[in-house]
Amino acid sequence: MATVNGYVEKIKFRNEENGYSILDVNSEGEDYVLVGIFPYISEGDFIEASGRQVDHPIYGDQIQVEQYELKAPEDTASMERYLGSGAIRGVGAALAARIVRRFKADTFRIIEEEPERLAEVKGISEKLAMTISDQMEAKKEQRQAMMFLQDYGISMGLSLKIYHEYGPKLYGIIKENPYRLADDIQGVGFKMADEIAQKVGIFTDSDFRVRSGIFYTLLQSVANGHTYLPQEELLRGASELLQVDPSVMEKHLMDLQMEKKIMIKAGEDGRAESRHIYAAQYYYLELNAARMLHDLNIRGSEPEPEIRKKLERICAEEQIEPDELQIQAVVEAVNSGLLIITGGPGTGKTTTINTIIRYFEQEEMEILLAAPTGRAAKRMTEATGYEARTVHRLLELSGAPGADGDTSGMHFERNEENPLDADAIIIDETSMVDIHLMHALLRAVNPGTRLILVGDVNQLPSVGPGNVLHDMIDSGAFNMVKLTHIFRQAAESDIIVNAHRINAGEEIMLGKRSNDFLFIRRDQPDAIINAMITLVKEKLPGYVQAEPFDIQILTPMRKGALGVERLNGILQEYLNPKDPSKAEKEAGGTIYRVGDKVMQIKNNYQIEWETRNHYGIPVDSGTGVFNGDIGTIRQINAFAEELTVEFDEGRMVEYSFKQLEELELAYAITIHKSQGSEYPAVVIPVHSGPRMLMTRNLIYTAVTRARSCVCLVGIPETFQHMVDNEVEQRRYTGLKLRIQEIYRGMEEL
């Protein structure tokens, strides 16, 4: 057993969840490495630790600490070193020496009990004296608070957040209303607060609990795409969560509205049960978006014959043969402040965008192009020859806290005070844009700038909340051109022809010989998996001239025999098998291996990326990786506990091991996650599943992700049932109503 008494010179590593740390400690001039669980330790602390001395094969001599105690330094040299270590802000080595020289062994007692006497030391004002004393006391209080909170099962990282938010008030909050944590602390949800409340002994029907449960249910619905819930559905969901009768809960809605947490709007049938209950933030997102859309919707006055004459010259020069709807789209683009262009595959959306760009270029207009994802932006660039960016990059995403005090750490530099400098902005794949992103975009577009939104309204709605494109079209308030003609070249593709047949609910002839739309019958899940592995690994790469990693398996489900979770574990072993030369890291039941295909599964606005040249030297950098971004693991560094992923456009991102919950394997992904992407070939398992999931617009979205080949593997009858199933999972969104309200109000004025 080895014992060390000394100062923590550096915390080399700390896991904020469990307190596991690696410390550099100096004891009487000797340096030691201590490894163990140290939940409350800081650099500069004096530690007395004992444990086993081990010789780590990579990291050398270490002491595996079995027990330790933090102590106040007792000798004057130790006191001086502690005060000058940086543990106390505002006190450097020289000032620490003067303090200890003045008060000697009585230094710490003076700081704690008679702090005003510190002003006797040259260089210390009364204000600094009190600051030093407060910091000494705070460190003691912080340790006590952390120990108190961990009795309730709260991790060290969250304990620190809670302490910084509330300070000494946290004891009263935990004992009286722990549900405040769910409102105030990012990372604490209702369920964690409810567990704390149970330990404290708060009653099941407590007003705090019921209100928090209602609000939690409302926020959870956002994850399913809703921006509001009908009152009846909200109270039913909250009742299931809280195990409290709905009749007890209705009275709390008014309290929540008084607290400005929710907004209550009349339902379309006027019944109280169908009132629309919004989390206030989402009501104002929709209301403000509707107002900004109205303000952009300005009508131009350029005569149509003149537009058509200019367009004829452009089409002759570019050898374009547009149909009448495409011509109409260009005319509307010239004379509309806001225009929606929609249409299915093969109807000439890209040609229409290109023609609009050429027209605007001839008019010497400044044009900006964007799409919601990196892959969609890349496709747009390739199709137009004009630089397209993600909407996030267009709006200049910043990971630093916003000037408005936004504590999420994310804001856009472009807004009403710093708008986008352009005459026209074209956004592709608008069906993917949720209410958050649309609101941010509209804030950055000045009235007078043309905004052209292009998308296929029959695809799945955005992953995030809202149904923006659909609601805008349904409102009837904006100019829209719907492209319907399938052009000759596109009509030769069975992918495009069958996509339109799927959208129309028509029968697909699966037995027909086709070069790009194949159906392989397999009845059992394991047989389907074997066929998919053969396709991805052997058959399709040569057929579509692509690497196996570029071919994407798209499945309707996360769970089950053919769900993402099971498929990825199997596919990893076939497409990137275990190899002594490939580093691995297990986290959360998933093995991450160098060479694995992975996907980001939540927006991280603050994570940094960089692109590097051939010599590995950074040439560009930025922040933000987004839900659905796919990349490849390039390196796993066990010593630094970091994993490096390369995303599109060579963006290299380093993840700490504790961030791996943001990644999952992506050999197979859900169809929802494929929105906005295009792959050389897609392979789709078609087997049994819930009716609400196995829908027409789901299979339509999957089929339209393929550029060269679609391979369906499974049961033909199931495929046809999906085509016949028009049921769309209902999204409760109010943007359409807010738009119509604003236009009615303007008419009344």
Side-chain angles (χ1 to χ4, degrees):
M1 184 78 74
T3 301
V4 172
N5 292 281
Y7 283 94
V8 179
E9 298 235 311
K10 186 175 182 185
I11 299 175
K12 295 172 73 173
F13 170 78
R14 166 174 280 162
N15 183 322
E16 294 293 349
E17 290 302 307
N18 59 22
Y20 177 81
S21 307
I22 302 173
L23 314 177
D24 276 346
V25 173
N26 185 280
S27 176
E28 297 178 355
E30 293 288 325
D31 291 326
Y32 296 88
V33 176
L34 273 55
V35 178
I37 306 294
F38 305 98
Y40 324 111
I41 207 158
S42 304
E43 289 180 0
D45 281 345
F46 190 87
I47 186 172
E48 182 179 290
S50 57
R52 291 182 301 107
Q53 190 150 359
V54 296
D55 183 13
H56 193 281
I58 298 174
Y59 309 127
D61 287 341
Q62 298 179 339
I63 295 175
Q64 298 276 356
V65 174
E66 295 174 4
Q67 59 185 42
Y68 77 96
E69 187 179 352
L70 296 181
K71 293 193 165 186
E74 294 174 353
D75 62 275
T76 55
S78 297
M79 289 178 182
E80 181 181 328
R81 183 164 184 173
Y82 176 78
L83 289 172
S85 69
I88 306 297
R89 291 190 309 278
V91 180
L95 187 54
R98 291 204 297 275
I99 293 170
V100 175
R101 209 162 40 239
R102 175 72 180 83
F103 299 113
K104 300 186 173 57
D106 214 19
T107 296
F108 278 19
R109 187 195 66 77
I110 294 289
I111 292 173
E112 291 178 8
E113 298 176 12
E114 302 177 72
E116 67 280 357
R117 289 191 57 194
L118 288 173
E120 297 171 15
V121 177
K122 184 182 177 184
I124 299 183
S125 63
E126 287 187 15
K127 185 177 179 182
L128 179 56
M130 299 312 296
T131 300
I132 293 168
S133 178
D134 289 345
Q135 286 186 67
M136 291 280 282
E137 184 62 27
K139 287 175 77 71
K140 191 188 297 181
E141 282 181 2
Q142 180 177 315
R143 287 187 188 126
Q144 290 170 347
M146 303 274 273
M147 292 171 72
F148 170 78
L149 291 168
Q150 286 181 49
D151 285 343
Y152 292 98
I154 301 172
S155 73
M156 196 179 81
L158 279 179
S159 295
L160 205 54
K161 280 186 185 177
I162 293 167
Y163 178 77
H164 286 153
E165 178 73 22
Y166 301 127
K169 294 178 186 173
L170 70 87
Y171 300 100
I173 290 168
I174 293 290
K175 289 175 179 174
E176 293 166 20
N177 178 18
Y179 297 100
R180 269 191 64 182
L181 273 62
D183 294 337
D184 299 341
I185 311 291
Q186 192 173 4
V188 178
F190 169 80
K191 292 190 174 177
M192 180 182 288
D194 205 31
E195 287 174 10
I196 296 167
Q198 287 176 26
K199 290 176 183 176
V200 172
I202 290 173
F203 292 121
T204 305
D205 60 354
S206 147
D207 288 354
F208 292 136
R209 181 173 188 265
V210 173
R211 285 202 292 271
S212 186
I214 292 170
F215 192 61
Y216 172 78
T217 303
L218 200 52
L219 291 181
Q220 286 297 104
S221 72
V222 171
N224 294 320
H226 307 302
T227 57
Y228 74 85
L229 284 179
Q231 179 174 310
E232 192 171 36
E233 193 163 324
L234 170 62
L235 296 186
R236 185 168 59 246
S239 174
E240 290 172 8
L241 172 73
L242 298 168
Q243 295 298 297
V244 171
D245 191 271
S247 62
V248 175
M249 294 187 283
E250 193 168 336
K251 65 182 181 182
H252 293 292
L253 293 176
M254 191 57 66
D255 292 332
L256 285 164
Q257 183 160 270
M258 294 287 286
E259 292 171 15
K260 298 185 178 178
K261 286 188 172 182
I262 67 169
M263 283 292 295
I264 302 176
K265 297 292 289 182
E268 291 171 52
D269 61 8
R271 293 186 308 122
E273 293 82 359
S274 61
R275 290 189 300 181
H276 298 174
I277 314 296
Y278 282 88
Q281 151 189 22
Y282 290 96
Y283 173 75
Y284 288 112
L285 280 172
E286 288 189 339
L287 181 65
N288 291 333
R291 176 185 54 77
M292 291 185 286
L293 287 166
H294 169 272
D295 292 347
L296 288 175
N297 195 20
I298 301 167
R299 190 70 192 162
S301 58
E302 188 163 343
E304 186 171 327
E306 288 186 22
I307 299 172
R308 286 178 175 265
K309 191 179 292 185
K310 292 177 184 176
L311 188 55
E312 282 177 20
R313 287 199 299 271
I314 292 168
C315 291
E317 289 168 9
E318 301 286 336
Q319 297 184 323
I320 302 170
E321 295 181 14
D323 70 359
E324 180 55 32
L325 283 171
Q326 290 176 306
I327 293 169
Q328 193 59 39
V330 178
V331 171
E332 290 295 336
V334 174
N335 273 330
S336 299
L338 178 63
L339 174 65
I340 299 167
I341 300 173
T342 187
T347 57
K349 292 194 297 295
T350 299
T351 301
T352 305
I353 291 171
N354 278 330
T355 309
I356 291 170
I357 290 170
R358 301 297 171 255
Y359 188 101
F360 287 167
E361 276 184 325
Q362 195 173 82
E363 298 295 299
E364 298 185 342
M365 292 167 64
E366 186 71 28
I367 310 158
L368 294 174
L369 307 186
T373 67
R375 284 173 176 256
K378 187 177 179 183
R379 281 173 51 207
M380 196 178 188
T381 299
E382 291 167 352
T384 63
Y386 212 95
E387 184 197 3
R389 288 171 278 180
T390 64
V391 178
H392 290 87
R393 292 198 77 183
L394 180 75
L395 298 178
E396 296 177 18
L397 179 76
S398 170
D404 58 357
D406 178 15
T407 54
S408 69
M410 180 281 288
H411 73 282
F412 294 108
E413 297 289 346
R414 294 289 184 171
N415 51 39
E416 51 273 270
E417 294 177 2
N418 181 28
L420 292 165
D421 184 16
D423 298 300
I425 299 168
I426 304 174
I427 308 294
D428 199 8
E429 297 285 359
T430 309
S431 63
M432 295 181 65
V433 176
D434 65 19
I435 189 64
H436 287 287
L437 194 56
M438 179 56 73
H439 183 270
L441 173 66
L442 293 172
R443 286 182 64 196
V445 181
N446 264 342
T449 298
R450 293 169 177 81
L451 180 62
I452 300 166
L453 305 175
V454 184
D456 183 349
V457 77
N458 293 306
Q459 286 187 26
L460 293 167
S462 57
V463 174
N467 203 354
V468 173
L469 184 63
H470 201 280
D471 279 358
M472 287 179 65
I473 292 171
D474 279 0
S475 75
F478 310 111
N479 289 341
M480 182 190 75
V481 176
K482 184 174 183 179
L483 305 175
T484 55
H485 175 68
I486 303 176
F487 286 84
R488 183 179 57 80
Q489 189 174 355
E492 294 171 2
S493 163
D494 285 328
I495 295 174
I496 289 172
V497 171
N498 286 338
H500 284 273
R501 292 179 68 87
I502 289 167
N503 195 37
E506 298 172 6
E507 186 177 356
I508 310 298
M509 308 306 294
L510 297 177
K512 172 190 169 187
R513 286 186 62 84
S514 172
N515 292 325
D516 61 4
F517 195 95
L518 315 173
F519 198 104
I520 299 168
R521 175 153 199 154
R522 295 289 186 274
D523 293 332
Q524 298 303 317
D526 286 349
I528 292 172
I529 292 170
N530 287 335
M532 291 196 301
I533 290 168
T534 302
L535 286 166
V536 172
K537 197 174 179 184
E538 299 172 18
K539 303 290 186 184
L540 286 173
Y543 188 66
V544 297
Q545 302 301 302
E547 296 297 318
F549 271 35
D550 296 325
I551 296 162
Q552 189 62 58
I553 292 177
L554 304 178
T555 179
M557 295 164 289
R558 286 199 59 80
K559 307 283 185 183
L562 292 169
V564 164
E565 293 174 7
R566 180 170 186 247
L567 286 177
N568 274 319
I570 295 169
L571 292 164
Q572 182 189 46
E573 292 309 310
Y574 283 92
L575 299 176
N576 188 32
K578 189 177 181 68
D579 188 300
S581 66
K582 294 178 182 176
E584 293 183 357
K585 167 63 182 173
E586 189 277 333
T590 298
I591 293 171
Y592 298 91
R593 184 176 294 142
V594 169
D596 272 338
K597 184 178 183 179
V598 291
M599 179 171 63
Q600 176 81 12
I601 58 170
K602 60 186 283 192
N603 289 336
N604 185 329
Y605 299 104
Q606 293 174 290
I607 198 166
E608 297 178 352
W609 56 262
E610 62 182 27
T611 56
R612 303 167 185 167
N613 63 17
H614 295 302
Y615 303 102
I617 298 169
V619 293
D620 192 14
S621 63
T623 58
V625 180
F626 306 107
N627 192 351
D629 284 357
I630 289 179
T632 304
I633 297 175
R634 296 300 184 198
Q635 186 179 29
I636 297 176
N637 186 327
F639 178 72
E641 300 208 339
E642 287 181 341
L643 178 150
T644 304
V645 178
E646 182 178 358
F647 288 101
D648 286 339
E649 300 170 340
R651 292 176 299 143
M652 308 295 285
V653 178
E654 291 183 350
Y655 292 82
S656 67
F657 283 174
K658 67 182 179 183
Q659 290 178 295
L660 293 184
E661 62 185 21
E662 296 185 16
L663 295 173
E664 68 180 22
L665 296 177
Y667 299 102
I669 65 174
T670 62
I671 295 167
H672 279 87
K673 292 284 191 181
S674 72
Q675 289 171 264
S677 296
E678 185 180 74
Y679 310 96
V682 299
V683 180
I684 308 166
V686 182
H687 202 260
S688 59
R691 177 173 166 75
M692 286 298 292
L693 194 62
M694 310 291 279
T695 61
R696 179 184 298 174
N697 67 340
L698 191 83
I699 195 67
Y700 172 81
T701 299
V703 165
T704 55
R705 299 307 90 206
R707 183 165 60 246
S708 302
C709 189
V710 170
C711 286
L712 299 127
V713 185
I715 302 170
E717 293 80 7
T718 300
F719 173 78
Q720 194 58 49
H721 288 324
M722 291 182 78
V723 173
D724 295 338
N725 184 8
E726 287 186 85
V727 175
E728 288 186 37
Q729 198 163 4
R730 173 76 189 271
R731 278 197 173 193
Y732 295 113
T733 62
L735 181 60
K736 168 188 166 183
L737 297 175
R738 304 289 83 78
I739 292 168
Q740 291 173 338
E741 282 174 1
I742 283 175
Y743 274 86
R744 278 199 304 271
M746 291 298 169
E747 286 171 9
E748 289 168 7
L749 288 173

